[in-house]
Amino acid sequence: QNVPNPFNGTTTIGFYVPVNENVTISVYNMLGEHVADVTNEIFNAGKHEVVFNSGELSQGTYFVRMTTEGFTATKNMNIVK
């Protein structure tokens, strides 16, 4: 989940991976359209944080999807301006 939520500008997305693997974190709008990539990198096992800058996105509710080889999780985040 991102912190803070709701946010204006930037937010930090924390996550944990049990083994070294590729992690993809993407942002989707309410229509399910892909609107931004947060990361698509290999992370070592452990806790990590990435910063997301909402930049050009408008106010509203979005979904953050984290995907690895055998795991997918989706959380919502709210942008306020």
Side-chain angles (χ1 to χ4, degrees):
Q1 185 67 57
N2 65 300
V3 177
N5 189 21
F7 71 100
N8 179 8
T10 61
T11 187
T12 301
I13 301 169
F15 61 95
Y16 172 83
V17 288
V19 296
N20 298 356
E21 63 183 323
N22 189 67
V23 175
T24 301
I25 300 177
S26 300
V27 178
Y28 298 84
N29 65 17
M30 292 292 287
L31 299 175
E33 299 167 331
H34 178 265
V35 295
D37 286 316
V38 180
T39 189
N40 185 8
E41 299 176 32
I42 295 174
F43 286 87
N44 294 327
K47 292 182 180 179
H48 300 277
E49 291 183 339
V50 291
V51 175
F52 173 64
N53 185 339
S54 63
E56 303 298 317
L57 297 180
S58 59
Q59 179 170 306
T61 300
Y62 294 84
F63 298 101
V64 180
R65 179 178 294 155
M66 174 184 160
T67 306
T68 64
E69 179 68 30
F71 176 81
T72 299
T74 304
K75 303 283 186 180
N76 69 331
M77 69 176 180
N78 297 293
I79 300 173
V80 293
K81 300 226 174 176

